[in-house]
């Protein structure tokens, strides 16, 4: 049985299908993705599979060694601790810069997150979660801050996959982000910074 793809280029469609499965936790970290199996499963040629996998390797969601199948990237608890060690000062800069402002793009991402149906794949939640935080960083107006933050995107997305075990009730996640945006908009700066720090002070679910 072949699995359906949306009517876009085969490479883009396959990359999107695999990305959604990885970010929904359907394909677990460390899982190998042999080209031949994917070719048969999705009914596409192996060169198409190879290009789609290359897209996800470039995004950091997959890792590939010479003469071995690509596999879903793994991030350890230590990796995630280090990730947050770097994210905290970057988002603290964001809080200082945006205190007293509302960011329409972040509000939009929050609205889309809240509107997701209960059976939406977790990858959709990850996408809006990332869009919200990225919108805040972009709103600062610092290209260097944006580049530094973007460099953390792959590990952040893989870490967010774990949060699905902590947020079975997605309304809780929406409420936490609404509180975050309200605190930044309300200020003053110390309160906004405290809200951001508390927002980032969370566990990552099961390993």
């Amino acid at each position: 049985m072949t699995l359906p793809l949306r009517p876009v280029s085969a490479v883009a469609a396959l990359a999107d299908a695999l990305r959604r499965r990885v970010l929904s936790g359907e394909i677990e970290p460390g899982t190998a993705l042999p080209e031949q199996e994917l070719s048969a499963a999705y009914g596409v040629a192996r060169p198409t599979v190879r290009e789609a996998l290359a897209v996800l390797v470039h995004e950091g969601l997959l890792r590939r060694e010479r003469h071995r199948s690509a596999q879903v990237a793994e991030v350890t608890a230590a990796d995630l601790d280090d990730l947050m060690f770097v994210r905290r000062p970057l988002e603290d800069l964001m809080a200082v810069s945006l205190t007293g402002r509302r960011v329409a793009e972040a509000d939009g991402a929050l609205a889309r997150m809240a509107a997701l149906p209960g059976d939406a794949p977790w990858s959709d939640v990850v996408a809006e979660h990332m869009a919200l935080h990225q919108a805040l960083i972009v709103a600062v107006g610092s290209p260097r801050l944006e580049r530094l933050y973007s460099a953390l995107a792959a590990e952040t997305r893989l870490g967010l996959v774990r949060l699905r075990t902590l947020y079975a009730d997605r309304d809780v996640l929406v409420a936490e982000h609404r509180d975050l945006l309200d605190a930044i908009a309300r200020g003053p700066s110390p309160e906004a910074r405290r809200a951001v720090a508390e927002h980032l002070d969370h566990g990552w679910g099961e390993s």
Side-chain angles (χ1 to χ4, degrees):
M1 181 185 72
T2 58
L3 304 176
L5 297 175
R6 293 184 295 174
V8 294
S9 80
V11 170
L14 180 56
D16 184 57
L18 293 174
R19 184 186 300 108
R20 290 170 68 86
R21 292 179 66 194
V22 168
L23 294 179
S24 289
E26 180 183 345
I27 306 178
E28 297 183 353
T31 301
L33 301 175
E35 291 179 7
Q36 186 171 350
E37 291 182 15
L38 293 176
S39 176
Y42 286 96
V44 296
R46 286 188 68 172
T48 299
V49 173
R50 195 170 298 119
E51 288 186 53
L53 293 176
V55 170
L56 299 186
V57 168
H58 179 72
E59 292 178 5
L61 297 181
L62 304 182
R63 292 177 183 160
R64 189 167 207 167
E65 297 178 10
R66 189 174 179 82
H67 304 309
R68 298 187 64 181
S69 296
Q71 59 181 230
V72 179
E74 298 185 77
V75 288
T76 66
D79 290 331
L80 293 172
D81 286 344
D82 190 50
L83 170 69
M84 300 310 288
F85 176 74
V86 177
R87 271 188 66 187
R88 288 187 184 100
L90 298 182
E91 298 212 27
D92 183 65
L93 289 172
M94 173 273 292
V96 172
S97 298
L98 298 185
T99 296
R101 291 176 53 189
R102 292 213 74 93
V103 177
E105 291 80 2
D107 285 333
L110 178 63
R112 292 191 301 272
M113 187 192 298
L116 289 172
D119 60 353
W122 184 252
S123 59
D124 290 353
V125 179
V126 171
E128 299 306 342
H129 190 289
M130 292 293 295
L132 186 152
H133 283 272
Q134 187 69 28
L136 293 173
I137 293 295
V138 170
V140 173
S142 168
R144 288 165 182 80
L145 178 62
E146 188 175 344
R147 285 199 300 271
L148 287 169
Y149 197 80
S150 294
L152 307 176
E155 286 186 315
T156 300
R157 288 196 290 177
L158 290 168
L160 291 176
V161 174
R162 298 188 181 199
L163 292 186
R164 72 191 189 283
T165 63
L166 300 180
Y167 290 99
D169 182 354
R170 296 181 187 178
D171 288 343
V172 175
L173 186 65
V174 171
E176 287 183 3
H177 283 83
R178 182 175 292 112
D179 289 345
L180 173 67
L181 297 184
D182 288 347
I184 293 171
R186 185 172 56 246
S189 181
E191 294 300 321
R193 295 175 67 190
R194 185 177 299 111
V196 169
E198 290 176 354
H199 180 79
L200 296 177
D201 186 21
H202 60 70
W204 289 97
E206 298 177 359
S207 302

